[in-house]
Amino acid sequence: MPELIPNIIPRDQHPISRNLISPSALKVMHRLHSKGYEAFLVGGGVRDILLGKQPKDFDISTNAHPEQVHALFKNSRLIGRRFKLVHILFGREMIEVATFRGQADEQSNKSETKQSEHGMLLRDNVYGTIEEDAVRRDFTVNALYYSAQDFCVYDFLNSHNDIKAKQVRMIGDPETRYREDPVRMLRALRFAAKLNFEIEPNTSAPILSMAPLLGNIPAARLFDEMLKLFMSGHAVEIFENLLHYKLFDALFPQISHTLNSNKQAAYYKRFILEGLRNTDNRIRAEKPVTPAFLYATLIWPEVNRQWQQLKSEGVPDFPALQQASQSALQKQLAHISIPKRFTLMMKEIWEYQIRLTKIQGRRPFQLIEQPRFRAAYDFLLLREQAGENVNGLGQWWTKFQVKNPAPVHKKAPRRFKNSKPRPQQHNK
Ligand code: ATP
Ligand code: MG
């Protein structure tokens, strides 16, 4: 590898100061320094502070090997197979420490790196220098190193220029790097949306044709990546880009098919967009968002298509919906694994689309008290907003709730040691 000379940005020419860095991350770096190791803040921590944003987490890069880091911190654990890392816990905060990754070559031990038949990196545990580490990272904006020893930022790849030009640029040959790890295509979209950057043309060019490679990524890894994409507060923009680059096809093939071919395609697209717009608004307002609602929205086009189909074949309403839910979920889970606690809630949200139509007598009063009512009602409103004719049902429930506010669920009373036992209530 040709030698990389870093551009060293001194303290007075960048905005990173110690009070913008988590004290735990500083502690980790100082301890590593005191034992004679190099240690830098790297990745999103540096990038976000340079852009005036608050980093989500702080990652440290060091020349100490994982076992050496682990030995230095009682509160740490070794994790990962694909990439060995050390997690150091400070209360609820976790600092991730990675050893400089090196370039794998013929001499490197075969047990330390491994590639799949598609050129995908399955393991990458060859250690190296900081220069080698920089070129193994994904995008230039993610490859800046801040030293808590001399307070300088080390820029090996002209990252600072890309930050100024607001560009997400792949390090090295984009095609090779996407082949090594197709998730980088999703990361490119995520950083572009999050930072309000453009994807540099050479970096975006291969995505369309390489999108199918996402099919080789384990379903469990994709669940985490999807949450990062859709819970970023930029879900609408990201969804449009996933469609544009045909990444959505690889992640949600059934839904994608429905969005392209069904006669109600325009309605379904509006429905998903409305749902994602709501999600973005909630995230920005710091309100909670459940992955179950998100996935219930994304997969609904296929559930609804199958439900209507089964009904037209004579299957009664409720079993048709249950069968459609089960079948649509099963197909989707082959691509993205959604934990069971969420799939159960998704099925409930869908089933409630029938329950909410039963508005005679005492039924509405019982429904409104169910834990799933709120999510199911929001889902119904979404269908209505997207232009589906639900016979004014959403409006009906809105009015019903104004007249009959749901009782606030009382918390269990606190018991103090010397409090008297409360008398038992008997209704008989
Ligand atoms: P954020 O935490 O805000 O999502 P980040 O850039 O810190 O963004 P992480 O997923 O925390 O992203 O990863 C930390 C760093 O590790 C990245 O900045 C990048 O340098 C490197 N990295 C992460 N994933 C990959 C990957 N798939 N390929 C190459 N480098 C990666
Ligand atoms: Mg990070």
Side-chain angles (χ1 to χ4, degrees):
M1 190 180 75
E3 206 185 329
L4 282 177
I5 313 284
N7 177 22
I8 301 175
I9 309 167
R11 173 64 193 94
D12 58 358
Q13 285 171 37
H14 68 71
I16 304 180
S17 69
R18 273 165 293 170
N19 58 19
L20 297 173
I21 301 171
S22 130
S24 315
L26 289 171
K27 233 183 261 173
V28 171
M29 287 191 277
H30 288 148
R31 180 147 181 94
L32 286 163
H33 292 153
S34 74
K35 297 293 170 186
Y37 297 114
E38 294 171 39
F40 296 85
L41 183 68
V42 69
V46 183
R47 178 197 69 214
D48 290 352
I49 298 179
L50 285 179
L51 289 165
K53 294 176 190 286
Q54 204 179 342
K56 210 177 71 207
D57 47 38
F58 291 89
D59 301 307
I60 309 287
S61 194
T62 177
N63 61 349
H65 285 195
E67 293 75 13
Q68 294 170 319
V69 178
H70 181 48
L72 281 183
F73 297 92
K74 271 206 308 285
N75 47 335
S76 71
R77 56 174 191 237
L78 277 167
I79 62 139
R81 235 167 65 91
R82 214 172 135 264
F83 294 101
K84 268 197 213 161
L85 297 167
V86 182
H87 280 174
I88 309 181
L89 290 165
F90 295 86
R92 295 179 62 184
E93 190 185 8
M94 196 262 291
I95 304 293
E96 191 170 284
V97 184
T99 305
F100 296 147
R101 289 281 168 324
Q103 204 81 3
D105 54 29
E106 296 81 57
Q107 279 118 50
S108 60
N109 189 331
K110 281 274 178 296
S111 72
E112 285 160 348
T113 58
K114 196 170 171 218
Q115 285 196 335
S116 77
E117 54 183 313
H118 309 284
M120 208 163 93
L121 267 182
L122 300 178
R123 208 176 298 149
D124 188 5
N125 285 317
V126 173
Y127 303 125
T129 61
I130 185 170
E131 291 85 356
E132 290 172 311
D133 187 76
V135 299
R136 301 276 328 128
R137 294 188 174 269
D138 46 8
F139 306 105
T140 57
V141 292
N142 289 346
L144 286 163
Y145 295 73
Y146 167 83
S147 164
Q149 232 167 0
D150 63 15
F151 315 121
C152 292
V153 172
Y154 289 72
D155 179 359
F156 297 91
L157 298 157
N158 259 329
S159 302
H160 208 213
N161 281 349
D162 284 330
I163 286 197
K164 284 190 225 149
K166 292 173 158 277
Q167 293 209 82
V168 176
R169 181 196 300 274
M170 180 67 87
I171 298 168
D173 170 49
E175 238 186 270
T176 312
R177 304 300 313 279
Y178 290 136
R179 215 174 286 286
E180 279 175 4
D181 182 5
V183 166
R184 289 174 185 151
M185 295 187 272
L186 300 178
R187 290 175 60 89
L189 266 53
R190 177 156 69 87
F191 293 125
K194 167 178 166 156
L195 307 173
N196 198 16
F197 279 24
E198 294 293 327
I199 306 180
E200 180 272 328
N202 289 321
T203 304
S204 59
I207 299 183
L208 193 63
S209 63
M210 300 187 85
L213 290 182
L214 273 181
N216 305 324
I217 302 293
R221 186 171 173 214
L222 284 179
F223 178 74
D224 293 338
E225 288 300 329
M226 293 325 282
L227 286 194
K228 288 189 202 163
L229 284 172
F230 286 120
M231 305 264 193
S232 62
H234 303 278
V236 168
E237 181 186 342
I238 286 175
F239 173 67
E240 299 274 20
N241 278 330
L242 289 175
L243 289 180
H244 172 79
Y245 287 108
K246 302 234 180 285
L247 292 161
F248 195 77
D249 285 23
L251 297 164
F252 297 88
Q254 282 75 239
I255 316 302
S256 178
H257 183 74
T258 306
L259 288 182
N260 285 323
S261 61
N262 194 280
K263 57 183 188 303
Q264 295 189 63
Y267 157 71
Y268 285 132
K269 189 167 172 211
R270 257 198 324 274
F271 173 80
I272 292 181
L273 280 170
E274 283 296 328
L276 296 179
R277 196 165 294 128
N278 283 359
T279 306
D280 284 348
N281 291 339
R282 290 186 70 92
I283 300 258
R284 286 179 195 165
E286 297 187 3
K287 289 189 191 163
V289 173
T290 163
F293 193 88
L294 188 70
Y295 276 103
T297 309
L298 288 165
I299 302 174
W300 176 248
E302 180 60 10
V303 175
N304 198 29
R305 185 191 69 74
Q306 291 196 36
W307 181 26
Q308 304 312 327
Q309 168 84 32
L310 287 164
K311 280 201 295 189
S312 73
E313 290 163 9
V315 182
D317 207 16
F318 204 74
L321 178 56
Q322 281 184 317
Q323 222 172 300
S325 304
Q326 190 58 30
S327 142
L329 256 179
Q330 198 117 37
K331 284 190 199 153
Q332 186 53 48
L333 288 175
H335 303 277
I336 301 173
S337 59
I338 308 170
K340 191 147 185 205
R341 63 182 188 283
F342 299 132
T343 57
L344 287 176
M345 184 169 167
M346 291 161 67
K347 284 188 200 161
E348 282 184 295
I349 291 174
W350 294 330
E351 283 173 12
Y352 264 76
Q353 301 312 301
I354 293 183
R355 288 189 214 274
L356 291 179
T357 61
K358 318 279 188 220
I359 52 176
Q360 291 81 28
R362 297 286 314 151
R363 295 285 284 276
F365 295 92
Q366 290 158 359
L367 280 172
I368 203 173
E369 293 204 31
Q370 298 303 312
R372 214 50 83 218
F373 172 80
R374 186 72 214 189
Y377 160 72
D378 285 343
F379 197 86
L380 174 66
L381 289 186
L382 212 54
R383 292 169 55 203
E384 207 168 39
Q385 275 166 25
E388 185 178 340
N389 181 7
V390 290
N391 294 322
L393 199 61
Q395 302 257 340
W396 188 91
W397 276 106
T398 306
K399 282 192 197 134
F400 181 82
Q401 289 174 85
V402 174
K403 274 193 264 163
N404 307 283
V408 182
H409 290 286
K410 289 194 194 96
K411 285 194 184 146
R414 265 196 202 214
R415 287 280 175 105
F416 294 100
K417 258 191 197 148
N418 53 1
S419 71
K420 285 186 213 146
R422 294 191 312 153
Q424 292 280 317
Q425 287 198 347
H426 295 284
N427 296 327
K428 282 181 211 152

